[in-house]
Amino acid sequence: MDLQEGVLTVRQALQRVGGELLIVAPKTQRSARRVALPSACVTVLRAQRAQQLADRKAAGSNWKGTAQGLVFTTKNGTPIEPRNLNRSFEALCVRAGVRKVRFHDLRHTCASLLHEQGADARMIIEALGHSSIRVTMDIYTFVRLDSQRLAFDRVGDALK
């Protein structure tokens, strides 16, 4: 991450192989990408980096983190177990009073919100690392009824 420039570079993935969590190359060439970060994310990621440095200092010689560049780790620097991430995310959803969704569904939400805000399809597929516009538009985006209504209201206004 380059928090000065506000850019995240995706160059690896965490995958379970033979029961063990391993750092692997992204699935496709397009999956390896640079993503511009909104300022709110940069602020939160700076706080995360400070927390990780504090965790590293507190762990001392027990720190197991390496130069893998992981943004989110356990208190001793190891990758977060995906099941633990999912449990934590579910608890956050309950606490926030939002409906339960899978952590992965946040990608769908991001794509749909970008689409609703007028981002073009090319930008959305670049951000998500998809190889096909069809995957992005058919699977990852949805249009809310209120967005449909607003669009039809604008068409009605144009016809007046």
Side-chain angles (χ1 to χ4, degrees), residues 14-16 20-22 79-90 103:
L14 184 65
Q15 183 177 342
R16 188 173 306 283
E20 184 180 351
L21 288 177
L22 299 176
I80 296 173
E81 168 62 48
R83 287 179 291 245
N84 292 340
L85 173 70
N86 289 331
R87 274 193 292 273
S88 295
F89 180 68
E90 286 177 15
F103 187 79

Side-chain angles (χ1 to χ4, degrees), residues 1-2 7-12 31-35 37 69 71:
M1 284 189 317
D2 180 343
V7 175
L8 169 76
T9 302
V10 178
R11 63 174 189 256
Q12 60 192 21
S31 296
R33 64 201 182 277
R34 290 170 37 100
V35 180
L37 299 170
V71 177

